[in-house]
Amino acid sequence: MSLFSRPKNPPWLDSAREFCRARNITIVGWGPRALVVEAKSPERAAEISGQLANLGFQPVPDPDDDYAGILTLSHPE
């Protein structure tokens, strides 16, 4: 057993990567139930939120995300 074993990727990550790649959405991070994407404007964030809702993602409101030009989305799995 490794001291620094990395947890497995969430089951939805591969399909989210494909979906985002096909729509020029840049993924900047992820976690067990979260996906963080580049969204340089509120309009782009709203557009991405609508697109990723089809995969079960919901936006996590955060004013700091707006300032940073990113969008954090949660996933139920």
Side-chain angles (χ1 to χ4, degrees), residues 8 16-17 20 25 34 43 54 58 63 65 67 70:
K8 291 174 65 175
R17 281 180 170 158
C20 289
I25 299 170
E43 295 80 16
N54 295 329
Q58 297 297 317
D65 279 7
Y67 181 77
I70 60 174

Side-chain angles (χ1 to χ4, degrees), residues 17-71:
R17 281 180 170 158
E18 282 182 39
F19 187 90
C20 289
R21 190 175 303 122
R23 288 156 184 82
N24 290 326
I25 299 170
T26 303
I27 297 174
V28 296
W30 67 87
R33 290 193 169 93
L35 181 69
V36 183
V37 298
E38 184 180 78
K40 295 185 178 183
S41 71
E43 295 80 16
R44 181 67 173 147
E47 178 185 334
I48 292 169
S49 292
Q51 291 176 343
L52 287 169
N54 295 329
L55 295 180
F57 289 95
Q58 297 297 317
V60 177
D62 186 338
D64 292 334
D65 279 7
D66 294 341
Y67 181 77
I70 60 174
L71 171 64

Side-chain angles (χ1 to χ4, degrees), residues 2-17:
S2 173
L3 288 176
F4 301 104
S5 63
R6 197 170 179 183
K8 291 174 65 175
N9 286 335
W12 47 261
L13 184 59
D14 288 337
S15 61
R17 281 180 170 158

